[in-house]
Amino acid sequence: MSIDPAVVENKSPTMSEEEFKAAVQVGNLRKAASIAQQMMKSPGLFEIAVVGESGSGKSSFVNAFLGLADDDIGAAEVGMVETTEWSTIYSHPEYPNVFLWDLPGIGTPHFQSVEHKITDTYLSGYDFFLIVTATRFREIHANLARKIQENAKKFYFVRSKVDQDLGAEKRKPNYSEARTLRQIREDCQAHLQRAGVNDTQVFLLSSWESDKHDFPLLKESLDQELRHAMLQKLLDTSCWTLQEKKTALQKTTRKQADFSGGPGAIPLPGLSLVADMAALMDCMRDYCKDFGLNSDSLSALAEQVGKREEDLKAVIRSPLATDIKIDLVLKLLEKCVGEGVTFLTYFAWSVPVVGALFSAQVSFGTTVFMLDNFISDLAEDTQRVLAKALEGEEKKSRQHHQELNLPVMHGKKPNQSNLSWRQV
């Protein structure tokens, strides 16, 4: 059964992502966190490629992962000869937007060679990879692993059919299952390291015993990857949104500087100081509120995510709205122009005409520079606050999913099950 590629490959933002972006844009961090928490419970589009040589047990692994027997309707075809001739897609048993792709065996005519087919463009079509092998680690696996990491993608190395290895070892004296599994794992890790591939998880399993060895751990780890990918996507969205907001707000600092520089040009000692400080303090407090870094917003956010408000404030490096006082603003201005602020102020007051005009120009430039920096700091602080607020949500979302006690899906959606429209 064929499928419109747009059904699977449409990666435009969902409505929830747009709502999350809109909440960040207006500084409603509590709503942004609430949307993120909901999205973490059901990860968005995520495509997993199952790759390996012919006969490595890829299709059997896919069936075991989906909770299907090899002869169930909709199961991946398995056999003694190469049976996967096309890239075939299967929906995840728990998440409707997550798909497993069973690819033709590496080295077969349908896949050709790693060098020929594993290109940057090809790899970009998948979010995660499971490299499956039933034999010892070979150079073809090293080439594939390196290429995946070069493209900033992640993968797990799956050593399948360990039941056969254990069966063979049982005939030897002093047999130990734990020692045999440890030796297989260490061998895989050693070959990966020699190939220049580090920090990679290795899972040992048997598709005939999906409740034993590393199979449960693989599912749990992959579940964490899904949620982490969703969280990272949201944080990337917030980062770009805050950058756009920063740019827009920095355009408003010129208007504030005009107001600040005007009174500064009047040769009356003290007038510029009073006018500037009052206006700048109000302006800076408004910026804090715009980003959601005021007390009310932070309190609501802390309540939403179940964290202490003090912990959220601890990652903020710029002044809080309640801390914005005259002495603080003076320190920030002083930081922008150094010790010359005192001299320029005296110069403006002691030379009424020339000094005042010069002071007005300096006041404008200093105010713009200080406010631009302040806005930039607020954008970075907001990103840090959101990251802190959503810290640990992967685990909380997983616990929520487990509490629902959802059954494993043995069937698939009519328009998404056992679909093969993309040839490798």
Side-chain angles (χ1 to χ4, degrees):
M1 177 179 177
S2 62
I3 182 175
D4 184 348
V7 173
V8 177
E9 295 195 334
N10 177 17
K11 299 188 179 182
S12 59
T14 65
M15 180 59 69
S16 293
E17 289 174 51
E18 290 298 328
E19 290 173 350
F20 175 80
K21 181 178 179 179
V24 173
Q25 180 67 43
V26 299
N28 191 339
L29 303 187
R30 181 184 184 279
K31 183 176 181 181
S34 176
I35 294 171
Q37 288 172 325
Q38 292 300 317
M39 294 181 68
M40 294 287 289
K41 296 174 184 176
S42 181
L45 181 63
F46 197 79
E47 298 186 72
I48 304 167
V50 182
V51 296
E53 295 176 275
S54 177
S56 62
K58 294 185 293 82
S59 298
S60 292
F61 165 78
V62 169
N63 290 337
F65 190 91
L66 300 177
L68 297 173
D70 290 344
D71 56 355
D72 282 348
I73 297 176
E77 186 178 356
V78 299
M80 298 298 294
V81 297
E82 172 65 19
T83 55
T84 305
E85 298 182 0
W86 298 77
S87 293
T88 309
I89 185 173
Y90 300 88
S91 62
H92 191 282
E94 297 177 5
Y95 306 119
N97 296 320
V98 178
F99 303 92
L100 274 74
W101 286 89
D102 185 11
L103 306 188
I106 299 174
T108 64
H110 301 289
F111 200 102
Q112 296 183 29
S113 66
V114 172
E115 292 76 15
H116 182 72
K117 280 298 182 182
I118 299 297
T119 62
D120 294 348
T121 301
Y122 177 83
L123 290 174
S124 66
Y126 303 100
D127 301 297
F128 198 86
F129 295 81
L130 297 174
I131 301 178
V132 182
T133 180
T135 59
R136 293 179 178 178
F137 190 94
R138 300 198 305 117
E139 186 63 24
I140 196 169
H141 304 128
N143 292 338
L144 180 56
R146 281 195 297 265
K147 194 66 177 177
I148 291 173
Q149 286 200 335
E150 287 171 4
N151 281 264
K153 297 295 181 75
K154 294 187 66 176
F155 72 90
Y156 289 161
F157 192 78
V158 177
R159 178 65 158 75
S160 64
K161 301 183 181 181
V162 295
D163 54 318
Q164 296 181 9
D165 295 279
L166 294 174
E169 290 293 315
K170 283 181 180 180
R171 295 191 293 270
K172 298 180 180 180
N174 302 320
Y175 163 75
S176 169
E177 178 177 312
R179 183 176 64 249
T180 300
L181 292 174
R182 184 177 66 252
Q183 290 173 343
I184 295 173
R185 189 187 310 278
E186 290 175 350
D187 179 70
C188 292
Q189 292 172 336
H191 279 87
L192 284 166
Q193 290 174 358
R194 282 196 289 271
V197 181
N198 299 312
D199 301 323
T200 298
Q201 290 185 262
V202 175
F203 296 89
L204 312 181
L205 53 86
S206 167
S207 297
W208 301 108
E209 301 171 310
S210 58
D211 60 337
K212 294 182 59 177
H213 308 305
D214 290 341
F215 219 124
L217 178 60
L218 170 65
K219 289 186 176 182
E220 181 179 344
S221 299
L222 194 53
D223 188 89
Q224 290 293 324
E225 293 288 351
L226 294 174
R227 297 177 192 283
H228 178 75
M230 185 74 259
L231 175 59
Q232 190 58 53
K233 185 176 183 179
L234 290 171
L235 290 177
D236 288 345
T237 297
S238 67
C239 183
W240 286 109
T241 303
L242 290 168
Q243 288 299 311
E244 293 173 354
K245 182 171 184 174
K246 179 189 76 172
T247 301
L249 284 178
Q250 283 177 336
K251 293 179 181 179
T252 68
T253 61
R254 277 64 178 166
K255 182 178 180 181
Q256 178 59 36
D258 281 334
F259 179 73
S260 174
I266 299 175
L268 294 176
L271 178 58
S272 62
L273 179 64
V274 175
D276 289 356
M277 294 306 104
L280 285 177
M281 287 190 295
D282 287 343
C283 178
M284 292 167 71
R285 288 167 183 159
D286 286 342
Y287 286 147
C288 288
K289 187 175 181 180
D290 285 340
F291 278 98
L293 296 182
N294 57 316
S295 295
D296 290 343
S297 177
L298 291 172
S299 177
L301 174 61
E303 181 181 0
Q304 175 65 39
V305 298
K307 289 184 170 64
R308 299 191 311 161
E309 185 177 346
E310 292 77 9
D311 292 335
L312 299 182
K313 288 181 177 179
V315 301
I316 298 176
R317 300 174 185 174
S318 54
L320 295 171
T322 53
D323 296 332
I324 298 177
K325 305 271 174 51
I326 290 179
D327 59 340
L328 174 67
V329 177
L330 281 173
K331 287 180 181 178
L332 293 176
L333 288 170
E334 197 171 315
K335 183 180 179 182
C336 293
V337 296
E339 296 180 358
V341 166
T342 303
F343 170 76
L344 288 170
T345 302
Y346 172 78
F347 184 73
W349 292 350
S350 59
V351 185
V353 178
V354 177
L357 293 175
F358 181 56
S359 178
Q361 294 178 351
V362 172
S363 177
F364 178 86
T366 302
T367 302
V368 169
F369 187 75
M370 187 272 285
L371 290 179
D372 280 355
N373 284 344
F374 184 66
I375 290 171
S376 181
D377 290 343
L378 289 177
E380 293 177 5
D381 282 336
T382 305
Q383 181 71 1
R384 280 191 286 267
V385 167
L386 277 172
K388 183 66 177 179
L390 298 175
E391 188 178 70
E393 284 299 322
E394 301 104 316
K395 294 181 180 179
K396 289 168 60 177
S397 297
R398 175 58 179 169
Q399 291 169 357
H400 171 83
H401 195 75
Q402 289 174 332
E403 289 169 0
L404 294 178
N405 195 26
L406 295 177
V408 174
M409 292 169 52
H410 290 285
K412 304 181 182 66
K413 295 183 178 181
N415 65 335
Q416 294 176 338
S417 64
N418 200 15
L419 306 175
S420 53
W421 56 266
R422 183 163 69 185
Q423 185 176 18
V424 178

